[in-house]
Amino acid sequence: MRTLPRRAAPFSLLALPIALLGTGVLAGCREASPAEDARPHVVTTIGMITDITQRIGGERIRVTGLMGPGVDPHLYKASAGDVRTFGSADLILYGGLHLEAAMAELLSEMDGRIRTRAVTDDIDRDLLLTPPEFQGQHDPHVWFDVALWITAARTVTDALVELDPDGAGDYRQRSDALLAELTELEAWVHARVSELPEARRVLITAHDAFNYFGRAYGFRVEGLQGLSTVAEAGTGDVQRVVSLILELGVPAIFVESSIPRRTVEAVQAAVRARGQDVEIGGLLFSDAMGDPGTDEGTYAGMVRHNVNTIVTALGGMGPDEGRSEELGSPGRPEGGVPEG
Ligand SMILES: [Zn+2]
């Protein structure tokens, strides 16, 4: 039986197409033109890496993030401009674990010429998930276990110190502040999730980005598509998920900002065709963050947005006081897109 309160999706789904217009943004643009900027140039891939790198590097470095809001890193192919950007880098920071699958060759080619570092390198291999369907490879979506992302932030710190030893004190000071913030975030996630009874912790999303989230915070996680988005969801995947929703009475499923929403909508339609209902509980940021300048455009803000969205839609007590301002806004509807 389901008697869960129905709540409006905290993040307006209408904002999704608008958010997608902001793709291809270079997240790290600054005032000085690149040619006259003598600071170390650090090129990053996904927004979550861009964010922690900017936080730790501060004004000592220039950061160029390749993948903006709505961009799918599994499918992302480097453009000629990206290759030039990599070529001008003093350090390249990427996710690794085959996250940037379509750039693997380019990254390994760069490795011989430019300092590169996968931010997941220092995570204990025993802590990595190796789902059977991924054929011996690790799941790359480590950022939704905040504790693992703290390790990634330490790796970024070490890489910046190696690149620019004169800035070590600066980097370590900013890193300590960030790590304290992330430690607090980790505690907040545990507290917020504990509002949901364990039986309601079933997270159904567009693709398998949330396995680390599930392990860390006690959710059963089902993705319609696999770990990578290269293979589209088939009718078998849809039927499997529909059966699970019917069996467990799951009240809500979720769309993701970097994945087309049609497969999730197909699940909803199939559930309704069987005489039950399931809500689309809101938009989750999985492999890309929100627009620059919004709360969801930061790593911590995106984690809070996702957790609030999940807990609210699955029947928690609603966002706690003081967080509501993050949930009321669908993000900036326009602007906020720095020129490339
Ligand atoms: Zn993914």
Side-chain angles (χ1 to χ4, degrees), residues 74-321:
H74 304 290
L75 304 179
Y76 187 88
K77 289 193 175 73
S79 67
D82 293 339
V83 174
R84 281 195 298 276
T85 304
F86 274 140
S88 74
D90 299 303
L91 170 66
I92 296 169
L93 294 172
Y94 64 104
L97 307 176
H98 302 280
L99 174 67
E100 300 94 343
M103 292 207 299
E105 208 175 306
L106 178 62
L107 284 166
S108 74
E109 189 187 307
M110 288 292 160
D111 194 29
R113 298 163 37 199
I114 291 166
R115 204 184 277 261
T116 63
R117 190 77 169 263
V119 303
T120 53
D121 269 356
D122 298 326
I123 295 173
D124 187 337
R125 301 293 102 166
D126 292 342
L127 295 177
L128 294 175
L129 293 170
T130 312
E133 66 273 20
F134 214 42
Q135 287 145 4
Q137 293 179 350
H138 298 302
D139 181 341
H141 304 89
V142 296
W143 48 90
F144 285 131
D145 178 342
V146 178
L148 295 184
W149 205 238
I150 285 174
T151 304
R154 290 204 165 98
T155 302
V156 170
T157 309
D158 292 343
L160 292 180
V161 168
E162 281 164 29
L163 173 70
D164 173 26
D166 289 349
D170 260 18
Y171 297 133
R172 298 233 179 264
Q173 193 177 16
R174 276 191 291 270
S175 177
D176 287 348
L178 176 65
L179 295 180
E181 194 182 299
L182 295 184
T183 302
E184 209 171 286
L185 177 69
E186 164 84 342
W188 176 85
V189 176
H190 278 291
R192 185 81 173 99
V193 160
S194 72
E195 294 172 28
L196 272 184
E198 271 175 44
R200 290 203 192 155
R201 293 187 202 169
V202 180
L203 179 60
I204 297 173
T205 62
H207 91 299
D208 265 343
F210 291 91
N211 291 312
Y212 289 101
F213 178 88
R215 183 183 67 181
Y217 309 115
F219 282 75
R220 174 171 178 176
V221 173
E222 297 285 338
L224 265 160
Q225 284 171 269
L227 282 174
S228 164
T229 54
V230 173
E232 288 228 10
T235 48
D237 298 307
V238 171
Q239 284 315 317
R240 169 179 55 83
V241 168
V242 167
S243 301
L244 186 72
I245 292 168
L246 296 173
E247 181 193 330
L248 300 178
V250 176
I253 56 181
F254 300 89
V255 291
E256 296 175 28
S257 67
S258 51
I259 313 278
R261 53 187 295 157
R262 59 180 177 272
T263 48
V264 171
E265 288 173 339
V267 169
Q268 186 183 41
V271 169
R272 286 177 174 168
R274 304 271 291 269
Q276 279 202 36
D277 198 11
V278 67
E279 297 282 320
I280 292 184
L283 173 75
L284 302 182
F285 295 100
S286 52
D287 293 359
M289 308 196 304
D291 287 335
T294 65
D295 195 51
E296 295 83 6
T298 67
Y299 169 71
M302 113 188 241
V303 169
R304 283 194 298 266
H305 165 90
N306 282 351
V307 171
N308 279 330
T309 301
I310 291 165
V311 173
T312 301
L314 295 182
M317 290 180 284
D320 50 351
E321 303 299 329

